[in-house]
Amino acid sequence: MGITILAIESSCDETAASICRDGKILSNIIATQKVHEKYGGVVPELASRAHMQHIVPVVDQCLVEAGVVLKDLDAIAFTQAPGLIGALLVGAQFARSVALALGKPLITVHHMQAHVLANLIEEPSPKFPFLCLTVSGGHTQIVLCESPVKLTVIGETIDDAAGEAFDKSAKILGLPYPGGPLIDRYANLGNPKAFIFPEPKIPALDFSFSGLKTAILYFLQEQMKANPHFIEERLNDICASIQHRIITILLNKLKKAAIETGIHEICLAGGVSANSGLRKAFTEAGKKYQWNTYFPSIEFCTDNAAMIAITAYYKYRAGDFAADDATPTAKAGW
Ligand code: KG4
Ligand code: ZN
């Protein structure tokens, strides 16, 4: 019948489950927690409680949609790190219980590796070795991928992540959390060259976004002194200019990484790779520099369990199983 894996993702504010058979995703279910919206960010304790409410119905639906019953499973996978510890614990305990009850092996998955390998879910997929720019709410990394189980971070942010740059800018503009998708929407209606924000000079392949956030804050404070309606009147242009600068920071480093490694197979991954401006600019850069470019469908860019399942499939094939009592950790390298 092939290798059938149930994967659970619960690192932040999505409770998700997916079934994968031989590298093919049979189902991919996500329950997004609405409870955080009014707080302007994810509240860890509320996230843990919502995971406990959602996990059984999400896994049930995931099995039904895949046409799979528990005894068909060959392994159970869960996100081990990084993430909110209480949230991770819910997924980990659930996965451990299922594995124990079925007598099947456990596989632990690193959330950021899974974002990268989301590029292997659909065809055409990148050929190894490839580079991946992973941009999410908590991380910004350039990853060198030599095989599904040999991934190396060759550049990363020294402060805020790209997703934080979007979300914090949105907050300054008075937009609700998470602001990234809203900036994307308004940016499509604005002029990306209307306002010029600074590009930080960071060595090697690393990134920095905290200076940009401060520059945006000071710029808006100045403008609002002269015109208290500045933000509402120029929202589209402000969003387009912020997005443009975040994209140029990201793509300039990616270009540097491609030159240094000589690799032309290049992917995007993570929640921010859902950004329409980034996808467009990345595709254009690919044409300009003769890269073969790839990015996952939107549903596999933002947090999901299909990416955990595909990563677990490759770990299964490599014989990389976890101990029965594997525990999650909030922070972890790989
Ligand atoms: O990968 P992800 O779903 O969760 C983490 O692992 O962090 O990424 C979430 C981040 C948030 O910062 C959110 O604002 C951003 O992805 N995001 C976007 C877009 N969609 C999601 N940022 C810009 N444009 C978008 N369309
Ligand atoms: Zn993520």
Side-chain angles (χ1 to χ4, degrees):
M1 190 192 274
I3 302 162
T4 309
I5 297 173
L6 165 66
I8 313 281
E9 154 64 33
S10 71
S11 64
C12 192
D13 59 344
E14 327 272 356
T15 315
S18 174
I19 304 277
C20 147
R21 177 168 291 152
D22 285 340
K24 190 169 172 290
I25 300 300
L26 302 185
S27 64
N28 180 36
I29 307 296
I30 303 179
T32 301
Q33 304 176 358
K34 293 278 170 219
V35 62
H36 309 287
E37 258 168 26
K38 60 175 178 284
Y39 299 101
V42 178
V43 184
E45 181 55 26
L46 296 181
S48 311
R49 291 180 198 198
H51 283 306
M52 283 167 65
Q53 285 165 351
H54 291 158
I55 196 149
V56 172
V58 164
V59 171
D60 266 345
Q61 195 186 339
C62 169
L63 289 164
V64 170
E65 277 199 16
V68 164
V69 291
L70 285 174
K71 72 171 177 36
D72 298 336
L73 298 176
D74 294 300
I76 323 296
F78 67 92
T79 305
Q80 185 179 32
L84 303 169
I85 191 66
L88 288 165
L89 266 169
V90 178
Q93 290 297 359
F94 185 89
R96 279 169 54 173
S97 311
V98 176
L100 185 68
L102 297 176
K104 298 292 178 181
L106 265 186
I107 299 173
T108 51
V109 172
H110 193 287
H111 183 91
M112 297 313 297
Q113 291 190 359
H115 270 304
V116 173
L117 298 188
N119 280 288
L120 302 183
I121 293 175
E122 301 159 292
E123 289 297 335
S125 59
K127 284 162 251 352
F128 292 95
F130 63 84
L131 293 179
C132 184
L133 170 68
T134 318
V135 274
S136 76
H139 295 78
T140 303
Q141 300 177 327
I142 298 179
V143 182
L144 168 63
C145 312
E146 291 166 89
S147 84
V149 290
K150 188 155 190 244
L151 310 183
T152 314
V153 177
I154 58 171
E156 62 189 324
T157 183
I158 57 169
D159 43 52
D160 287 353
E164 279 174 296
F166 273 104
D167 296 338
K168 289 180 179 175
S169 303
K171 199 168 184 176
I172 298 171
L173 293 168
L175 301 173
Y177 177 87
L182 290 170
I183 294 202
D184 189 355
R185 194 182 325 147
Y186 295 121
N188 276 324
L189 306 169
N191 172 9
K193 305 261 169 70
F195 309 109
I196 307 296
F197 296 113
E199 177 162 5
K201 301 269 172 288
I202 306 297
L205 297 175
D206 291 333
F207 303 89
S208 165
F209 288 99
S210 72
L212 176 63
K213 175 191 62 193
T214 312
I216 292 167
L217 178 68
Y218 289 165
F219 168 77
L220 290 174
Q221 282 174 346
E222 274 306 304
Q223 298 294 326
M224 296 291 276
K225 268 190 221 154
N227 172 10
H229 302 292
F230 179 75
I231 290 180
E232 45 183 302
E233 283 171 12
R234 304 295 303 273
L235 186 62
N236 297 340
D237 286 342
I238 300 168
C239 288
S241 302
I242 293 173
Q243 180 171 300
H244 174 72
R245 175 52 77 216
I246 295 174
I247 292 172
T248 55
I249 293 173
L250 292 171
L251 292 187
N252 284 343
K253 286 291 174 153
L254 194 54
K255 192 174 118 193
K256 192 167 181 214
I259 293 169
E260 284 182 10
T261 60
I263 294 174
H264 284 220
E265 292 280 309
I266 308 195
C267 308
L268 294 182
V272 179
S273 66
N275 183 271
S276 60
L278 177 59
R279 289 164 97 93
K280 189 160 165 269
F282 174 64
T283 306
E284 281 163 9
K287 287 193 189 122
K288 190 165 166 196
Y289 304 118
Q290 276 103 43
W291 300 342
N292 295 322
T293 54
Y294 309 83
F295 41 73
S297 297
I298 302 271
E299 62 176 318
F300 303 129
C301 286
T302 47
D303 284 352
N304 67 87
M307 67 185 195
I308 308 300
I310 194 91
T311 307
Y313 166 69
Y314 286 104
K315 290 187 93 169
Y316 187 104
R317 286 192 8 182
D320 187 357
F321 298 104
D324 295 347
D325 59 353
T327 48
T329 46
K331 269 196 185 353
W334 69 59

